[in-house]
Amino acid sequence: RKGRAMFKKYDVTACFSGHFHQNVNAQSSWGMPMIVTGPLSMNLHSSIAHELSNGEVNGIGMRIVDVGEKGEFEHKWTLLDNEEEIFEMAIQRCERQLMSEGKIAEALIE
């Protein structure tokens, strides 16, 4: 509640955050945009991802934000090239890490 009060008191234009593993575009109860950016490494997919992202495509990428002098802003989610290849490499890296820690058997990967 203190955070909401501070956002209102200081007339915060938008709240950007991350590490949710998918994109979310929402608004606070008083209309402040709240933009959650998915990770650069791996997005998780859900049945409501399209609804949460307000039509924005989920995938491996980055958000570009342009902030003006008076607090106005524009933002765009940009997918990286070779997304499928990057995703596969990330999965393989995770599997190797789990194998090295003894948390997954090699037979499960194949």
Side-chain angles (χ1 to χ4, degrees), residues 66-74:
D66 184 18
V67 180
E69 290 182 24
K70 297 181 181 177
E72 71 278 2
F73 68 93
E74 293 181 12

Side-chain angles (χ1 to χ4, degrees), residues 14 29 38 41 56 61 64-65 72 81 108:
S29 59
S41 59
E56 194 171 67
I64 298 170
V65 181
E72 71 278 2
D81 292 338
L108 293 176

